[in-house]
Amino acid sequence: MKRETRRLVVYSTVFSIASFGVAAAMSLSAGLFAVGGPVGVFLDPVINLTVPLLLISIGFQVINSKGGPLLMGLISAALFAVAFLPFLALTNVVVGLAVEGSSRILGYRGMRAVVVNTALAGGLEGIVSVLLGALFVGYLINATLALIFTVAYFAESSVIGIMSQSLGSYLLKSGVLK
Amino acid sequence: MKLNFAVVLPALILISATAALTNGVLQMGFTALVHRKWRVIVIEAAVVAASFIVLSNFHRLYLFPFATRIMTYVNSYLIASELVDRPTVLDVFGERGVPLVIALAYYPTFISVGRELIENLKVRGLKFSPSKVVLPLLVFTIKVANELEAAYTVKLYGKFRRTLPKLGLWDYLFVLSSVVVSCLSLVILR
């Protein structure tokens, strides 16, 4: 393996697994699986879009190269598929593709790029996983509700994006990130 | 009591596969009894019980196996991270096992790092705030990635000669009981 590819694979694996682990630990300890199906599907993104999204977003900044977001999306998708959550697996593929596209245009570091990438990742993850998850449970969401959820998730994840930018710039200044 | 990974891997795959085919209650109980972390077991029992009540009220009991299945996977991960002798992972997979060792070490290491952080906060008399906890954990994650890459670059894992696994009494017991549990769950389903 070439050095660049190795770096890409190692970093995206570490960050995807960390994000998946934190998400699993948080949603299990919050007992979201308890309320399984009906309510859990709507609440899951609310938890998923905090620390797990922060880790994913810092991962984009750390990797800082082409193909990183796509690879992270695919690895997360594989992890969720193993955990028998097909709607989250599909969602992560969509998110990976979207962020790969946006980051080709905007780049990976800097206020604008980080906020847009994170908002795209979190918002898409939230709304797509809610739509697919509700279908999976056997509901169909109407358009007004979907719109409300979309706005809420995009707002939440842009706040996370601003946090991630401040953390990332701190890491860059302190020399942890290169 | 440390188990050999060459034994744990097929046994856990068997248990997870049969958990996907059946309702998974038996597998969940068995894996919980193997890792014997009582705090985790109490939480899991509460989650599964609440899930059963909610789902039966909403008439969607066919989703219940998802809860037990996820709990089985969590228990399997805990078994693999706590009870497996880590060098035997490398005996099975060679150099490809390095990320797996890291993945298995994630949970205990993060728990210990988190505990240290909270202790430090307490000793210094600082208030608990998320940003004070998130930043050190982030730095730690980046360091893990850095060191993993360095380990691959300089080939720190060394050269391995594959030998036949040496199995102890507990290994045989674990395999035997996992096979019995899997078969039993399939029989009960019928």
PDB file of all heavy atoms in Angstrom, chain A residues 10 27 60 63 85:
ATOM      1  N   VAL A  10      -6.263   4.153   7.477  1.00  0.00           N
ATOM      2  CA  VAL A  10      -6.105   4.058   8.927  1.00  0.00           C
ATOM      3  C   VAL A  10      -6.919   5.129   9.632  1.00  0.00           C
ATOM      4  O   VAL A  10      -7.685   4.849  10.561  1.00  0.00           O
ATOM      5  CB  VAL A  10      -4.613   4.157   9.312  1.00  0.00           C
ATOM      6  CG1 VAL A  10      -4.456   4.402  10.794  1.00  0.00           C
ATOM      7  CG2 VAL A  10      -3.872   2.910   8.914  1.00  0.00           C
ATOM      8  N   SER A  27     -26.632   5.761  22.569  1.00  0.00           N
ATOM      9  CA  SER A  27     -28.044   5.419  22.356  1.00  0.00           C
ATOM     10  C   SER A  27     -28.433   4.222  23.218  1.00  0.00           C
ATOM     11  O   SER A  27     -29.587   4.106  23.614  1.00  0.00           O
ATOM     12  CB  SER A  27     -28.346   5.166  20.882  1.00  0.00           C
ATOM     13  OG  SER A  27     -27.656   4.051  20.434  1.00  0.00           O
ATOM     14  N   PHE A  60     -13.064  14.479   9.108  1.00  0.00           N
ATOM     15  CA  PHE A  60     -12.879  15.114   7.797  1.00  0.00           C
ATOM     16  C   PHE A  60     -11.690  16.070   7.836  1.00  0.00           C
ATOM     17  O   PHE A  60     -10.874  16.095   6.922  1.00  0.00           O
ATOM     18  CB  PHE A  60     -14.116  15.932   7.393  1.00  0.00           C
ATOM     19  CG  PHE A  60     -15.373  15.122   7.198  1.00  0.00           C
ATOM     20  CD1 PHE A  60     -16.610  15.693   7.400  1.00  0.00           C
ATOM     21  CD2 PHE A  60     -15.309  13.797   6.803  1.00  0.00           C
ATOM     22  CE1 PHE A  60     -17.768  14.965   7.215  1.00  0.00           C
ATOM     23  CE2 PHE A  60     -16.458  13.060   6.621  1.00  0.00           C
ATOM     24  CZ  PHE A  60     -17.690  13.644   6.830  1.00  0.00           C
ATOM     25  N   ILE A  63      -8.267  14.048   8.177  1.00  0.00           N
ATOM     26  CA  ILE A  63      -7.848  13.314   6.978  1.00  0.00           C
ATOM     27  C   ILE A  63      -7.406  14.285   5.894  1.00  0.00           C
ATOM     28  O   ILE A  63      -6.337  14.118   5.293  1.00  0.00           O
ATOM     29  CB  ILE A  63      -8.988  12.420   6.474  1.00  0.00           C
ATOM     30  CG1 ILE A  63      -9.261  11.331   7.495  1.00  0.00           C
ATOM     31  CG2 ILE A  63      -8.615  11.776   5.156  1.00  0.00           C
ATOM     32  CD1 ILE A  63     -10.494  10.537   7.203  1.00  0.00           C
ATOM     33  N   LEU A  85     -28.741  -2.744  11.008  1.00  0.00           N
ATOM     34  CA  LEU A  85     -29.521  -1.514  10.916  1.00  0.00           C
ATOM     35  C   LEU A  85     -29.431  -1.010   9.478  1.00  0.00           C
ATOM     36  O   LEU A  85     -28.701  -0.066   9.178  1.00  0.00           O
ATOM     37  CB  LEU A  85     -29.002  -0.454  11.885  1.00  0.00           C
ATOM     38  CG  LEU A  85     -29.183  -0.796  13.360  1.00  0.00           C
ATOM     39  CD1 LEU A  85     -28.385   0.151  14.223  1.00  0.00           C
ATOM     40  CD2 LEU A  85     -30.644  -0.728  13.737  1.00  0.00           C
TER      41      LEU A  85
END
